[in-house]
Amino acid sequence: MSGQTIFITGASSGFGAACARIFAVPGNRLILTSRRVDPLIKLQEELSGVCDVQIIPLDVRDREAVQGAVEALPEPFRNIDVLLNNAGLALGLEPAHQVNLDDWDAMVDTNIKGLMYCTRIILPGMVARNRGHIVNISSTAGAWPYPGGNVYGGSKAFVTQFSRNLRCDLLGTKVRVTCIQPGMAETEFSAVRFKGDQEMAAKVYEGTEALTAGDIAETVAWVINRPAHVNVNTLEMMSIDQAWGPFAIHREQP
Ligand code: NDP
Ligand code: 8X3
């Protein structure tokens, strides 16, 4: 993969940073975005010897900021070939009747609305050039329910179905859309979910060989590197140490 302009949301850690590293090959142009700037600066320092790297502090929940960032891209970065809609988060694992409503708002605003904004603002250029690939990071949580998954899972189900619907709208163009649904992967994800409680976060991965950010980056690179006529629609992946459980059944005590 070379000669591609790649726009990554949530590049400051986890999957996004790993994707930036795997896409950093001579001839590529990377646009790395997230709210935190320091990790972006470090990534730019690390990768800019290899390819051109633009960093943009960006909160995907801010529609005008997304519009402004895309419009302000300097010439060599304007024609985006790949949009990696990766920015996202889970907050909390409480049952629906106990959650903090602000957490639900933040997940909807980031995982759904932020992804919508980036897509809607970047897609017209891809259609006009009849070239491009949108890779959306969903989750197994969007396909399979679990206790406390409530709005996080719902937001990822949106990502999965939105991806399929984009394919319908884009039929007749050469713009590809792929939805990737990873299971448990060890990143900052759980530390964010448990609001900085590193002990709870570590327990999620304890005794398992979880997916790594690098596993997801290799998969993203693979879908992008298929021949131009091949569209991988949906790809679900899990650690060998994860599988589905049986249905939960509540039994009254005699
Ligand atoms: P990380 O917490 O390591 O990375 C999340 C990234 O999203 C960070 O770069 C963060 O940057 C960015 N982000 C969060 N909110 C915003 C925002 N409002 N605007 C811009 N960027 C934002 O977790 P992962 O790498 O694991 O997560 C990446 C994606 O993968 C998410 O969508 C997540 O839901 C999904 N996923 C994760 C799985 C896992 O088990 N780890 C499994 C399946 C899917 P910053 O805070 O600097 O803004
Ligand atoms: C992250 C995977 O199982 O923690 O999307 O929801 S899970």
Coordinates of all heavy atoms in Angstrom, one line a residue, residues 189-233:
F189 N -8.8 1.0 26.0 CA -10.2 0.9 26.0 C -10.8 0.6 27.4 O -11.8 1.4 27.8 CB -10.6 -0.2 25.0 CG -12.1 -0.5 25.0 CD1 -12.9 0.2 24.1 CD2 -12.7 -1.5 25.7 CE1 -14.3 0.0 24.1 CE2 -14.0 -1.8 25.7 CZ -14.8 -1.1 24.8
S190 N -10.3 -0.3 28.1 CA -10.9 -0.7 29.4 C -10.6 0.4 30.5 O -11.4 0.6 31.3 CB -10.5 -2.1 29.9 OG -11.1 -3.0 29.0
A191 N -9.4 1.0 30.4 CA -9.1 2.0 31.3 C -10.0 3.2 31.1 O -10.4 3.9 32.1 CB -7.6 2.5 31.1
V192 N -10.4 3.5 29.9 CA -11.4 4.5 29.6 C -12.8 4.1 30.1 O -13.4 4.9 30.8 CB -11.4 4.9 28.1 CG1 -12.6 5.8 27.8 CG2 -10.1 5.4 27.6
R193 N -13.1 2.8 29.8 CA -14.4 2.4 30.3 C -14.6 2.5 31.8 O -15.6 2.9 32.3 CB -14.6 0.9 29.8 CG -15.8 0.2 30.4 CD -16.2 -1.1 29.8 NE -17.4 -0.9 29.0 CZ -17.9 -1.8 28.2 NH1 -17.3 -3.0 28.0 NH2 -19.0 -1.6 27.6
F194 N -13.5 2.1 32.5 CA -13.6 2.1 34.0 C -13.0 3.4 34.5 O -12.6 3.5 35.7 CB -12.9 0.9 34.6 CG -13.6 -0.4 34.1 CD1 -12.9 -1.4 33.4 CD2 -15.0 -0.6 34.4 CE1 -13.6 -2.5 33.0 CE2 -15.6 -1.7 34.0 CZ -14.9 -2.7 33.2
K195 N -12.9 4.5 33.7 CA -12.6 5.8 34.1 C -11.3 5.9 34.9 O -11.3 6.5 36.0 CB -13.8 6.4 34.9 CG -15.1 6.4 34.0 CD -16.3 6.9 34.6 CE -17.4 6.7 33.5 NZ -18.7 7.0 34.0
G196 N -10.3 5.3 34.4 CA -9.0 5.4 35.0 C -8.7 4.3 36.0 O -7.5 4.3 36.5
D197 N -9.6 3.4 36.3 CA -9.3 2.4 37.3 C -8.5 1.3 36.6 O -9.0 0.4 36.0 CB -10.6 1.8 37.8 CG -10.4 0.8 39.0 OD1 -9.3 0.1 39.0 OD2 -11.3 0.7 39.8
Q198 N -7.2 1.4 36.7 CA -6.3 0.5 36.0 C -6.4 -1.0 36.5 O -6.2 -1.9 35.7 CB -4.8 0.9 36.2 CG -4.5 2.3 35.6 CD -4.6 2.4 34.1 OE1 -4.7 1.4 33.4 NE2 -4.7 3.6 33.6
E199 N -6.8 -1.2 37.7 CA -6.9 -2.5 38.3 C -8.1 -3.2 37.6 O -8.0 -4.4 37.2 CB -7.1 -2.4 39.8 CG -6.6 -3.6 40.6 CD -6.7 -3.4 42.1 OE1 -6.2 -2.3 42.5 OE2 -7.3 -4.2 42.7
M200 N -9.2 -2.5 37.5 CA -10.4 -3.1 36.9 C -10.1 -3.4 35.4 O -10.5 -4.4 34.8 CB -11.6 -2.2 37.0 CG -12.4 -2.4 38.3 SD -13.8 -1.3 38.4 CE -15.0 -2.2 37.5
A201 N -9.4 -2.4 34.8 CA -9.1 -2.6 33.4 C -8.2 -3.8 33.1 O -8.4 -4.6 32.2 CB -8.3 -1.3 32.9
A202 N -7.2 -4.0 34.0 CA -6.3 -5.1 33.8 C -7.0 -6.4 34.0 O -6.7 -7.4 33.3 CB -5.1 -5.0 34.9
K203 N -8.0 -6.5 34.9 CA -8.8 -7.7 35.1 C -9.4 -8.2 33.8 O -9.6 -9.4 33.6 CB -9.8 -7.5 36.2 CG -9.3 -7.6 37.6 CD -10.4 -7.9 38.6 CE -10.0 -8.3 39.9 NZ -8.7 -7.8 40.4
V204 N -9.8 -7.3 32.9 CA -10.5 -7.7 31.7 C -9.6 -8.7 30.9 O -10.1 -9.6 30.3 CB -10.9 -6.4 30.9 CG1 -11.4 -6.8 29.5 CG2 -11.8 -5.5 31.6
Y205 N -8.3 -8.4 30.9 CA -7.4 -9.2 30.1 C -6.6 -10.2 30.8 O -5.9 -11.0 30.2 CB -6.4 -8.2 29.4 CG -7.1 -7.0 28.8 CD1 -7.0 -5.7 29.3 CD2 -8.0 -7.1 27.7 CE1 -7.7 -4.6 28.8 CE2 -8.6 -6.1 27.1 CZ -8.5 -4.8 27.7 OH -9.2 -3.7 27.2
E206 N -6.8 -10.3 32.1 CA -6.0 -11.2 33.0 C -6.2 -12.6 32.5 O -7.3 -13.1 32.3 CB -6.6 -11.1 34.4 CG -5.6 -11.4 35.5 CD -6.2 -11.1 36.9 OE1 -7.1 -11.8 37.3 OE2 -5.9 -10.1 37.5
G207 N -5.0 -13.3 32.4 CA -5.1 -14.7 32.0 C -5.5 -15.1 30.6 O -5.8 -16.2 30.3
T208 N -5.6 -14.0 29.8 CA -6.0 -14.3 28.4 C -5.0 -13.8 27.5 O -4.2 -12.9 27.8 CB -7.3 -13.6 28.0 OG1 -7.1 -12.2 27.9 CG2 -8.4 -13.8 29.1
E209 N -5.0 -14.2 26.2 CA -4.2 -13.6 25.2 C -5.2 -12.8 24.3 O -5.7 -13.4 23.4 CB -3.4 -14.6 24.4 CG -2.5 -14.0 23.4 CD -1.5 -15.0 22.8 OE1 -1.7 -16.2 23.0 OE2 -0.7 -14.6 22.0
A210 N -5.4 -11.6 24.7 CA -6.4 -10.8 24.0 C -5.9 -10.4 22.6 O -4.7 -10.5 22.4 CB -6.7 -9.5 24.8
L211 N -6.7 -9.9 21.8 CA -6.3 -9.3 20.5 C -5.4 -8.1 20.9 O -5.6 -7.5 21.9 CB -7.5 -8.8 19.7 CG -8.4 -9.9 19.1 CD1 -9.6 -9.2 18.4 CD2 -7.7 -10.8 18.2
T212 N -4.5 -7.8 20.0 CA -3.7 -6.6 20.2 C -4.1 -5.5 19.1 O -4.7 -5.9 18.1 CB -2.2 -6.9 20.0 OG1 -2.0 -7.3 18.6 CG2 -1.7 -8.0 20.9
A213 N -3.7 -4.3 19.4 CA -3.9 -3.3 18.4 C -3.3 -3.6 17.1 O -3.8 -3.3 16.0 CB -3.4 -1.9 18.9
G214 N -2.1 -4.3 17.2 CA -1.4 -4.6 15.9 C -2.2 -5.7 15.1 O -2.2 -5.6 13.9
D215 N -3.0 -6.6 15.8 CA -3.8 -7.5 15.1 C -4.9 -6.8 14.3 O -5.2 -7.2 13.1 CB -4.5 -8.5 16.1 CG -3.5 -9.4 16.8 OD1 -2.5 -9.7 16.3 OD2 -3.9 -9.7 18.0
I216 N -5.4 -5.8 14.9 CA -6.5 -5.0 14.2 C -5.9 -4.2 13.0 O -6.4 -4.2 11.9 CB -7.3 -4.1 15.2 CG1 -8.3 -4.9 15.9 CG2 -8.1 -3.1 14.4 CD1 -7.9 -5.9 16.9
A217 N -4.7 -3.6 13.3 CA -4.1 -2.9 12.2 C -3.7 -3.7 11.0 O -3.9 -3.4 9.8 CB -2.8 -2.2 12.7
E218 N -3.3 -5.0 11.3 CA -3.0 -5.9 10.2 C -4.2 -6.2 9.4 O -4.2 -6.4 8.1 CB -2.3 -7.2 10.7 CG -0.9 -7.0 11.0 CD -0.2 -8.3 11.6 OE1 -0.8 -9.3 11.6 OE2 0.9 -8.1 12.1
T219 N -5.3 -6.3 10.1 CA -6.6 -6.7 9.4 C -7.1 -5.5 8.6 O -7.5 -5.7 7.4 CB -7.6 -7.1 10.5 OG1 -7.1 -8.1 11.3 CG2 -8.9 -7.5 9.9
V220 N -6.9 -4.3 9.1 CA -7.3 -3.1 8.4 C -6.5 -3.0 7.1 O -7.0 -2.8 6.0 CB -7.2 -1.8 9.2 CG1 -7.5 -0.6 8.4 CG2 -8.2 -1.8 10.4
A221 N -5.2 -3.2 7.3 CA -4.3 -3.2 6.1 C -4.7 -4.2 5.1 O -4.7 -4.0 3.9 CB -2.8 -3.4 6.6
W222 N -5.1 -5.4 5.6 CA -5.5 -6.5 4.6 C -6.7 -6.1 3.8 O -6.7 -6.3 2.6 CB -5.7 -7.8 5.4 CG -6.0 -8.9 4.5 CD1 -5.2 -9.7 3.8 CD2 -7.4 -9.4 4.3 NE1 -5.9 -10.6 3.1 CE2 -7.2 -10.5 3.3 CE3 -8.6 -9.1 4.7 CZ2 -8.3 -11.2 2.9 CZ3 -9.7 -9.8 4.2 CH2 -9.6 -10.9 3.3
V223 N -7.7 -5.6 4.5 CA -9.0 -5.2 3.7 C -8.7 -4.1 2.7 O -9.2 -4.2 1.6 CB -10.2 -4.9 4.6 CG1 -10.5 -6.0 5.6 CG2 -10.0 -3.6 5.4
I224 N -7.8 -3.2 3.1 CA -7.5 -2.1 2.2 C -6.7 -2.6 1.0 O -6.9 -2.1 -0.1 CB -6.8 -1.0 2.9 CG1 -7.7 -0.3 3.9 CG2 -6.2 0.0 1.9 CD1 -7.0 0.6 4.9
N225 N -5.9 -3.6 1.2 CA -5.0 -4.1 0.2 C -5.6 -5.1 -0.7 O -5.0 -5.7 -1.6 CB -3.7 -4.6 0.8 CG -2.8 -3.5 1.2 OD1 -2.7 -2.5 0.5 ND2 -2.1 -3.7 2.3
R226 N -6.9 -5.4 -0.5 CA -7.6 -6.3 -1.5 C -7.6 -5.6 -2.9 O -7.6 -4.4 -2.9 CB -9.0 -6.7 -1.1 CG -9.2 -7.5 0.2 CD -8.4 -8.8 0.2 NE -7.1 -8.5 0.8 CZ -5.9 -9.1 0.3 NH1 -5.9 -9.9 -0.7 NH2 -4.8 -8.8 0.8
P227 N -7.7 -6.4 -4.0 CA -7.9 -5.7 -5.3 C -9.1 -4.7 -5.3 O -10.0 -4.9 -4.5 CB -8.1 -6.9 -6.2 CG -7.5 -8.1 -5.5 CD -7.7 -7.8 -4.0
A228 N -9.0 -3.7 -6.1 CA -10.0 -2.6 -6.0 C -11.4 -3.1 -6.2 O -12.3 -2.4 -5.8 CB -9.6 -1.5 -7.0
H229 N -11.6 -4.2 -6.9 CA -13.0 -4.7 -7.1 C -13.5 -5.6 -6.0 O -14.6 -6.0 -6.0 CB -13.1 -5.5 -8.4 CG -12.4 -6.8 -8.4 ND1 -11.0 -6.9 -8.4 CD2 -12.9 -8.1 -8.3 CE1 -10.7 -8.2 -8.3 NE2 -11.8 -8.9 -8.2
V230 N -12.7 -5.8 -4.9 CA -13.1 -6.6 -3.8 C -13.5 -5.8 -2.6 O -12.6 -5.0 -2.1 CB -12.0 -7.6 -3.4 CG1 -12.4 -8.4 -2.2 CG2 -11.6 -8.5 -4.6
N231 N -14.7 -5.9 -2.2 CA -15.1 -5.1 -1.0 C -15.4 -6.1 0.1 O -16.3 -7.0 0.0 CB -16.4 -4.4 -1.3 CG -16.7 -3.4 -0.1 OD1 -16.4 -2.2 -0.2 ND2 -17.4 -3.9 0.9
V232 N -14.6 -6.1 1.2 CA -14.9 -6.9 2.4 C -15.9 -6.1 3.1 O -15.7 -5.0 3.6 CB -13.6 -7.1 3.2 CG1 -13.9 -7.9 4.5 CG2 -12.5 -7.8 2.4
N233 N -17.1 -6.7 3.2 CA -18.2 -6.0 3.8 C -18.1 -5.9 5.4 O -18.1 -4.8 5.9 CB -19.6 -6.7 3.5 CG -19.9 -6.6 2.0 OD1 -19.4 -5.8 1.3 ND2 -20.7 -7.6 1.6

